[in-house]
Amino acid sequence: MASSYHLNGVEAWDGCTASAHALRQAQVDVVAAYPITPSTPIIQNYGSFKDNGYIDGEFVLVESEHAAMSACVGAAAAGGRVSTATSSQGFALMVEVLYQAAGMRLPIVLNVANRALASPLNIHCDHSDMYLGRDSGWISLCTCNPQEVYDFTLMAFKLAEHTGVRVPVMVHQDGFLSSHTVQNVRPLADHVAYKFVGDYVPVHPMLDFDKPVSYGAQAEEEWHFEHKAKLHHAIMESSAVLEEIFKDFAKITGRQYNVLETFDMEDAEVAIFALGTTWESAIVAAKKAREKGIKAGVVTTHLLRPFPFVALGEIFKKAKAVAIMDKSSPSGALGALFNEVAASLYQVQGSRHPVLSNYIYGLGGRDLTQADLDGIFEELSQDAQKGALTHPTQQFIGLNGPKLSYF
């Protein structure tokens, strides 16, 4: 029997600590993990909870991130509530097994502290690993600060285990900028958090040798298509389930989340769309732009998969110019997030489309300054006045040298 852990009304936690406490409160049956910066403290804190008797679940240290997710798959198939955490190269090593977990419809929760992918080797934040896993069949939730990391980790279990979903879920946070940055977090009491998440009800109660069940069986052209179509349908339908979970969570916390969060978009003529911690920085710049007479707004999404195409198109249909911020190298194309947003706007029929621009920033942890964001709003204002781009579609900002522009 686990001993109780006493929390105050407000805790000073970084994102990794917030994640670890959410895992503790969810009473996870199995955590199998291999440490990697900057997600290591999630596992380290969880391990300390185990050593100090605050959790009853199994804590399994394995030889690699590939093995970690493989162990999670086995534990989930056996009927357990399962979770792990990783970053960057570790995430890349997990990718093969991510597809297995999704195809088997195992409701695993994965915390990802986002970090640049090598080469060159870098331990700081960008969204390379986030984009690497976006099409692996997992629901992807995006957070902006430690409070959201805590809240969304709890909600991730409820979403993944919902009978109408049964799809694994990732919870993303910016490495170091969120994972190691201490902020005020208002956690729930242990019993309230667990009641919200609920008891785990597996599809198959346990491995039963008298009633054996096979996972991961081979399916060729007769059935492979059908499996993928059903998985896609479950992911697409999960956004409606998440909206209901948001409402339930707001009732007990007062914190109301939305799939798309907006700032001053009611009359905005220009807007920035960005993920993670950049959302809060962009709000500061938007307020400053408003003081200069620029009708600026900001939008972010808490849901990268399924991507909210139609809803985002509706939000942007009145804007004149929009900047899409990609914190990952496009490697020979327009940014991944840019392409998602551009596609969203074409889902809105019969509307005028705003001028779109793509800003590549923050690779390997490069600072995005308020001056950078101020300059983006100034360029957007010029685009809005002209009704066309006044600069190249894609720009790399914050380089140590001349600005690079493409397309």
Side-chain angles (χ1 to χ4, degrees):
M1 186 73 177
S3 57
S4 60
Y5 192 104
H6 299 289
L7 297 171
N8 297 317
V10 179
E11 299 285 342
W13 287 346
D14 59 27
C16 285
T17 303
S19 173
H21 274 286
L23 298 182
R24 177 185 62 79
Q25 291 181 320
Q27 298 184 26
V28 178
D29 294 309
V30 177
V31 169
Y34 187 87
I36 184 170
T37 301
S39 64
T40 297
I42 300 174
I43 304 308
Q44 185 177 11
N45 288 328
Y46 189 83
S48 71
F49 297 151
K50 176 67 174 177
D51 287 344
N52 289 309
Y54 295 126
I55 57 173
D56 289 328
E58 296 296 326
F59 180 48
V60 185
L61 291 176
V62 293
E63 66 272 20
S64 72
E65 292 85 357
H66 187 284
M69 186 52 64
S70 297
C72 286
V73 165
R81 175 173 285 163
V82 180
S83 186
T84 188
T86 194
S87 302
S88 185
Q89 306 304 123
F91 184 90
L93 190 55
M94 274 188 181
V95 165
E96 177 189 4
V97 194
L98 295 183
Y99 283 84
Q100 303 289 347
M104 296 180 196
R105 305 291 293 276
L106 300 173
I108 300 165
V109 171
L110 169 62
N111 277 271
V112 186
N114 295 122
R115 168 187 151 186
L117 288 170
S119 174
L121 183 65
N122 180 285
I123 65 167
H124 293 286
C125 176
D126 65 33
H127 293 159
S128 304
D129 48 6
M130 179 192 296
Y131 292 163
L132 177 64
R134 64 187 176 138
D135 296 332
S136 59
W138 288 57
I139 296 167
S140 287
L141 305 178
C142 303
T143 66
C144 303
N145 53 54
Q147 180 70 71
E148 292 186 0
V149 173
Y150 171 81
D151 293 348
F152 276 71
T153 300
L154 290 176
M155 290 189 283
F157 286 104
K158 198 170 183 69
L159 178 61
E161 297 167 8
H162 190 280
T163 55
V165 179
R166 304 300 295 192
V167 173
V169 177
M170 301 179 200
V171 180
H172 293 278
Q173 63 174 310
D174 284 355
F176 292 105
L177 299 174
S178 173
S179 68
H180 286 63
T181 299
V182 174
Q183 294 185 9
N184 286 346
V185 176
R186 291 170 172 79
L188 300 171
D190 288 357
H191 71 282
V192 176
Y194 185 75
K195 183 178 180 181
F196 170 77
V197 174
D199 293 334
Y200 181 55
V201 181
V203 173
H204 303 289
M206 63 180 68
L207 288 178
D208 187 340
F209 290 103
D210 294 324
K211 298 178 181 179
V213 176
S214 294
Y215 279 89
Q218 187 167 344
E220 295 300 335
E221 67 275 12
E222 294 88 355
W223 291 109
H224 183 89
F225 197 164
E226 283 71 18
H227 279 284
K228 292 299 183 182
K230 289 185 70 174
L231 174 60
H232 175 72
H233 178 74
I235 294 171
M236 294 299 288
E237 294 297 312
S238 69
S239 58
V241 176
L242 182 60
E243 293 279 16
E244 291 303 314
I245 292 173
F246 283 160
K247 293 177 183 177
D248 292 342
F249 194 74
K251 291 176 183 176
I252 61 173
T253 65
R255 296 190 287 271
Q256 177 63 60
Y257 293 107
N258 302 286
V259 169
L260 289 167
E261 302 287 358
T262 63
F263 176 80
D264 273 359
M265 284 302 298
E266 293 80 6
D267 65 340
E269 294 182 349
V270 300
I272 282 177
F273 182 79
L275 300 179
T277 54
T278 306
W279 152 256
E280 295 176 342
S281 299
I283 288 174
V284 174
K287 291 178 180 178
K288 187 175 179 180
R290 289 266 174 177
E291 293 174 357
K292 297 178 181 179
I294 299 172
K295 293 182 178 180
V298 188
V299 181
T300 192
T301 181
H302 284 307
L303 200 53
L304 185 65
R305 282 293 181 272
F307 196 78
F309 288 102
V310 176
L312 189 60
E314 289 293 332
I315 287 174
F316 283 146
K317 70 180 182 181
K318 294 181 180 179
K320 295 180 180 179
V322 176
I324 297 96
M325 308 290 290
D326 266 290
K327 200 170 188 176
S328 178
S329 174
S331 299
L334 286 161
L337 198 59
F338 177 91
N339 287 324
E340 303 278 12
V341 177
S344 298
L345 296 177
Y346 280 89
Q347 303 305 308
V348 181
Q349 300 299 320
S351 66
R352 173 187 52 80
H353 299 141
V355 177
L356 299 182
S357 50
N358 185 206
Y359 290 86
I360 310 300
Y361 77 101
L363 304 190
R366 179 66 52 84
D367 283 340
L368 176 72
T369 67
Q370 284 298 316
D372 292 330
L373 291 164
D374 293 344
I376 291 171
F377 275 124
E378 291 285 352
E379 290 186 343
L380 289 175
S381 179
Q382 295 172 20
D383 294 346
Q385 292 173 25
K386 187 176 180 180
L389 280 172
T390 58
H391 52 85
T393 302
Q394 184 182 79
Q395 300 182 71
F396 283 57
I397 59 172
L399 289 171
N400 291 324
K403 180 188 291 186
L404 297 179
S405 301
Y406 301 95
F407 303 103

